[in-house]
Structures are given as structure tokens and as C-alpha cells.
Amino acid sequence: MFFRKKKERPNTIQVTADGPFEVSGDFAVKGREPLDHAFLCRCGASKNKPFCDGSHQCTGFKDDGLSGKQPRVAEIKPVGRMTLNPVDGGALLVNGPHQVLSAGGEIIHRGETSVLCRCGNSARKPFCDGRHAQVNFEN
Ligand code: FES
């Protein structure tokens, strides 16, 4: 019998312009079933957090998604299980091998951990700068 090896899809968090994170690969949002594709809110307005419900289109959320490059891009293969943990009133914690792509497709982070903004207020989007505490971000 012949078994074809399952194709490895890199864990990728794609920033979309004025919109959500498009997440693909092998991942689970903490406390939920594993997924291979999802849109997660990064504007802070979704009524179905951590998932995007399209509210960003009504709130006028603006971020071109082209900035925020991290100083170091690790030379790892972004495959294997990734866990996304939306912290109550806080950031989106990412654990496991992954890469973050700007809205323009540039790799702006690759590594085992990252802390992403999901309140929409960080000055260094897509990464968290702690501003969720100042705006009393709620889930
Ligand atoms: S990014 Fe779509 S609802 Fe927040």
C-alpha cells in the first residue's frame, strides 16, 4: 500500500489591509478544535472575537498592513502545530513555528512566538505595544 505524505503547509499569519489576520496552516485557537484556515479580528470591533465578523468595514478601521517589521527573522521552517491564545482584554499570543506576512507579502516575522495586536490601537501593528490597557479593550 502506498501512503502519500501529507503536504506541509507553513503556518502563516497574513496581515490584510484594513482588515483581519488571515491565518492558515496547522493551528488551534486556544480551547477550540484545530483549524487550517481562519480570519481573526485585529480591529477590536468583532462581536464574534477572536474571529472577524466583518465589523472592520463598518468601523472604518485603517491600517495598510505594510509596516511593523521585526528586527530578526528566524531561520526556521514554520511547520508544526501553532497555538493562538487571545488573552482576555489583551493581545493575541502566538506559540509554535509560524511566519507573519505584511499585507504586501513580505515576511515581517518568523519564529516560535509573537504577540499580535487585536484591539486595533497599537502604534506598531500588527504587533502589540500594550495599548489595549489604555483603551480598556474588552473581548
Ligand atoms: S478585523 Fe474584521 S471585525 Fe475586526
Side-chain angles (χ1 to χ4, degrees):
M1 187 173 282
F2 175 74
F3 292 97
R4 180 173 288 180
K5 190 175 177 206
K6 191 176 168 191
K7 191 170 182 208
E8 294 176 327
R9 291 179 62 198
N11 294 325
T12 302
I13 301 172
Q14 171 74 59
V15 178
T16 67
D18 305 331
F21 293 114
E22 181 175 9
V23 186
S24 58
D26 175 13
F27 65 97
V29 176
K30 189 177 179 190
R32 298 173 189 257
E33 294 294 312
L35 296 168
D36 60 15
H37 187 245
F39 290 92
L40 298 188
C41 176
R42 72 182 189 102
C43 77
S46 174
K47 293 172 184 60
N48 187 34
K49 295 184 192 75
F51 301 99
C52 170
D53 70 354
S55 292
H56 59 271
Q57 295 172 328
C58 304
T59 60
F61 175 64
K62 289 284 173 215
D63 177 53
D64 64 12
L66 297 175
S67 57
K69 188 171 175 125
Q70 296 278 278
R72 202 171 70 84
V73 175
E75 291 301 320
I76 63 159
K77 204 171 171 186
V79 294
R81 176 57 56 87
M82 168 175 72
T83 304
L84 305 170
N85 180 13
V87 176
D88 278 352
L92 180 65
L93 306 183
V94 184
N95 285 292
H98 67 282
Q99 58 189 5
V100 181
L101 271 54
S102 74
E106 180 189 11
I107 296 174
I108 55 175
H109 174 75
R110 190 191 293 131
E112 296 280 344
T113 61
S114 61
V115 183
L116 302 176
C117 174
R118 67 188 195 99
C119 76
N121 291 287
S122 173
R124 49 185 294 268
K125 291 188 233 5
F127 303 100
C128 172
D129 68 356
R131 208 154 296 198
H132 52 266
Q134 296 168 20
V135 299
N136 294 318
F137 176 59
E138 293 181 6
N139 289 347

